[in-house]
Amino acid sequence: MKKLWIILIAILLLVIPGCKKRVASIEELERVNNKIIDYMKDSSYPNYTFNYVDEEKRVVVVGLLDNSKSKQKEFRKKVVDSNLIEFVKGEKLIDERT
């Protein structure tokens, strides 16, 4: 029984430190955000509403009108594929100047 505990503790000591999530740098977040901005300058993407860097959460937030998994996958394929993106439900922007 003592050997079992030693093995279990050894496994936990090896596994737990490897589970710590790496925190993205601001530069990495800005790089992803800038790729999105550059794509939107040159292309039309009707499902997209906004994007910004959330420095506190260390993610790039992207608003999509249709925030389904399939549309998220489509965005990753067409625009930029990054695990630093957090998708949220966006709303259609209305130009109130007119």
Side-chain angles (χ1 to χ4, degrees):
M1 185 68 169
K2 190 174 181 178
K3 283 184 181 181
L4 180 61
W5 278 108
I6 292 170
I7 292 171
L8 182 60
I9 291 170
I11 290 172
L12 289 175
L13 290 173
L14 292 172
V15 171
I16 291 174
C19 293
K20 187 176 179 181
K21 189 176 179 181
R22 187 181 74 79
V23 176
S25 70
I26 298 299
E27 291 78 20
E28 289 173 303
L29 295 170
E30 300 257 341
R31 198 170 13 253
V32 171
N33 195 53
N34 289 336
K35 284 182 182 180
I36 296 168
I37 292 168
D38 290 343
Y39 181 90
M40 294 307 163
K41 283 180 191 174
D42 299 330
S43 303
S44 174
Y45 195 82
N47 192 39
Y48 163 85
T49 57
F50 62 86
N51 63 289
Y52 64 91
V53 173
D54 184 331
E55 291 183 6
E56 188 175 310
K57 287 181 162 181
R58 299 291 178 148
V59 294
V60 176
V61 180
V62 174
L64 299 178
L65 294 173
D66 178 352
N67 192 29
S68 65
K69 292 291 183 190
S70 64
K71 293 297 183 179
Q72 291 174 9
K73 186 176 179 180
E74 178 184 284
F75 182 92
R76 289 181 188 278
K77 185 176 180 181
K78 287 185 177 181
V79 183
V80 62
D81 187 7
S82 173
N83 61 345
L84 302 177
I85 296 174
E86 178 181 294
F87 292 101
V88 297
K89 174 77 171 114
E91 298 295 325
K92 188 168 182 134
L93 301 177
I94 300 171
D95 186 355
E96 295 180 354
R97 297 177 289 181
T98 57

